[in-house]
C-alpha cells in the first residue's frame, strides 16, 4: 500500500542524482479477481458496513477501490525556468521496512515513528511546522490506533504546537486504492495546499476510544478548515504504510509565485 509514495521518493532520488531532468511517478489499482477479496475478508480487514471511517469510533475496516494517478516531477529551479505551472513542492521524505513484527496484520509503531522523524529531518522541517497530515488511515481496529499513537509521539506531545495538527485520510472519501493510495494522498494534500483549505472527513463523527489525542494538539476536522497557519507557510505530511512491509512519509509545502531558485522537487503540469 506504500508503493505509490515509495515510487515518488525514488523518482526524487533520481532527479537529485542527475539521472533525469523530469520524472513520472504513478500507481494504479484494478480489482479483477475475487481471491484477494476473500483473503482480506478472512483477515477481517474489510468493512462489513461498506464504509471506510478512518479514526472513527465506528470504524470496522476499509472499502477497496479502483483508481490511479501520475505525478510529474522536476527540480524546482528547472520547473521555474521552464515556466511550468507548479502545484506544490516536495521538501523531502523517507521510507523503510516495518521490520520484524508479531504478525502480518500487526504494524510496528517504532518503525512508523522512525520513518516520520527521518522524513522531517530530510525535509529540514520540525513537527510544529506541519499543520496538516494526510494519514494512511485505513479504518481498521489495529492499524488506526497504531498510526495514531505514532503521530502523537512525533507530532503531538512535547512539540509546543501553536495550532493543532489537522489529520485526514482520503480513504473516507474514495475508499482504499491500496497500491495507488499514496498517489491519491499526495494529490489530495497538494490540492489542499493550493486551495488553502483542509478538507472535512466524511464518515467521521467521534474519535475511536482506542486513540488518545488532545484535540488542542491533534484533531480530525468534520468541516473544511481555512488553512492559514501562524507560521505563514502551509506544510503537509503524508503517511503511507504497507501490510507489515514498507513505510513511507513525505513532506510537502505550498508554492509561491514569488519564489526563485531552489533545490527541491516540484509537482507541475
Amino acid at each position: 500500500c506504500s508503493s505509490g509514495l515509495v515510487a515518488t521518493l525514488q523518482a526524487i532520488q533520481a532527479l537529485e542524482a542527475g539521472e533525469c531532468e523530469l520524472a513520472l511517478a504513478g500507481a494504479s489499482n484494478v480489482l479483477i479477481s475475487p481471491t484477494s477479496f476473500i483473503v482480506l475478508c478472512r483477515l477481517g480487514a474489510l468493512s462489513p458496513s461498506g464504509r471506510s471511517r478512518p479514526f472513527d469510533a465506528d470504524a470496522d475496516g476499509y472499502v477497496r477501490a479502483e483508481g490511479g494517478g501520475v505525478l510529474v516531477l522536476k527540480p524546482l529551479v528547472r520547473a521555474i525556468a521552464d515556466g511550468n505551472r507548479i502545484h506544490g513542492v516536495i521538501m523531502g521524505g523517507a521510507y523503510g521496512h516495518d521490520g520484524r513484527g508479531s504478525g502480518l496484520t500487526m504494524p510496528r509503531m517504532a518503525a512508523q515513528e522512525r520513518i516520520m522523524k527521518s522524513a522531517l529531518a530530510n525535509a529540514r522541517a520540525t513537527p510544529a511546522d506541519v499543520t496538516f497530515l494526510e494519514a494512511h488511515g485505513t479504518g481498521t481496529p489495529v492499524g488506526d490506533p497504531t498510526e495514531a499513537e505514532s503521530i502523537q509521539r512525533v507530532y503531538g506531545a512535547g512539540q509546543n504546537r501553536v495550532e493543532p495538527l489537522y489529520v485526514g485520510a482520503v480513504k473516507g472519501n474514495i475508499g482504499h486504492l491500496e497500491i495507488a493510495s499514496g498517489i491519491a494522498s499526495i494529490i489530495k494534500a497538494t490540492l489542499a495546499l493550493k486551495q488553502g483549505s483542509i478538507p472535512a472527513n466524511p464518515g467521521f463523527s467521534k474519535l475511536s476510544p482506542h486513540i488518545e489525542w488532545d484535540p488542542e494538539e491533534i484533531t480530525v476536522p468534520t468541516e473544511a478548515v481555512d488553512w492559514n497557519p501562524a507560521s505563514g507557510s502551509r506544510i503537509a505530511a503524508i503517511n503511507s504504510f504497507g501490510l507489515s512491509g514498507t513505510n513511507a512519509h513525505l513532506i510537502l509545502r505550498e508554492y509561491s509565485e514569488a519564489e526563485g531558485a531552489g533545490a527541491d522537487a516540484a509537482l507541475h503540469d
Side-chain angles (χ1 to χ4, degrees):
C1 297
S2 59
S3 300
L5 210 63
V6 172
T8 302
L9 290 167
Q10 290 182 335
I12 293 168
Q13 290 172 358
L15 290 166
E16 290 177 339
E19 297 173 1
C20 55
E21 296 181 350
L22 180 150
L24 302 179
S28 63
N29 195 45
V30 181
L31 307 176
I32 58 176
S33 168
T35 304
S36 52
F37 281 93
I38 294 169
V39 171
L40 289 168
C41 282
R42 289 175 176 172
L43 286 173
L46 301 187
S47 167
S49 61
R51 184 69 186 269
S52 295
R53 297 182 177 86
F55 305 111
D56 191 72
D58 292 329
D60 57 0
Y62 70 84
V63 176
R64 305 184 77 195
E66 295 182 308
V70 178
L71 309 176
V72 182
L73 303 165
K74 274 187 180 180
L76 181 56
V77 62
R78 180 81 182 194
I80 292 172
D82 290 346
N84 297 129
R85 185 170 59 166
I86 301 169
H87 297 288
V89 181
I90 297 172
M91 300 172 65
Y95 63 92
H97 200 271
D98 205 38
R100 180 177 294 177
S102 57
L104 184 65
T105 59
M106 297 297 292
R108 293 188 68 241
M109 189 183 306
Q112 294 184 8
E113 184 179 347
R114 183 173 63 250
I115 290 301
M116 292 183 202
K117 290 179 177 178
S118 296
L120 286 164
N122 180 261
R124 299 181 294 280
T126 69
D129 292 332
V130 178
T131 44
F132 171 58
L133 192 150
E134 173 62 15
H136 191 58
T138 55
T140 53
V142 175
D144 275 12
T146 301
E147 182 180 12
E149 180 63 22
S150 302
I151 292 170
Q152 168 68 19
R153 292 186 180 189
V154 176
Y155 287 98
Q159 297 302 329
N160 298 316
R161 303 194 64 88
V162 176
E163 50 205 329
L165 174 71
Y166 293 98
V167 176
V170 73
K171 294 172 184 63
N173 301 85
I174 61 174
H176 191 351
L177 267 65
E178 298 169 339
I179 294 167
S181 61
I183 295 294
S185 293
I186 293 173
I187 292 172
K188 173 189 169 181
T190 303
L191 290 173
L193 287 169
K194 284 198 66 175
Q195 295 172 6
S197 177
I198 296 172
N201 292 274
F204 180 88
S205 58
K206 183 180 180 181
L207 190 66
S208 166
H210 303 295
I211 297 174
E212 296 182 1
W213 281 342
D214 181 342
E216 294 187 2
E217 290 184 337
I218 304 173
T219 186
V220 180
T222 55
E223 297 181 351
V225 177
D226 289 337
W227 195 359
N228 298 301
S231 64
S233 181
R234 299 183 192 115
I235 298 178
I238 298 168
N239 272 342
S240 200
F241 299 145
L243 188 64
S244 282
T246 301
N247 300 325
H249 197 69
L250 190 72
I251 310 297
L252 283 171
R253 68 171 175 84
E254 64 178 319
Y255 172 74
S256 168
E257 295 293 341
E259 288 188 59
D264 296 320
L267 297 168
H268 66 90
D269 284 343

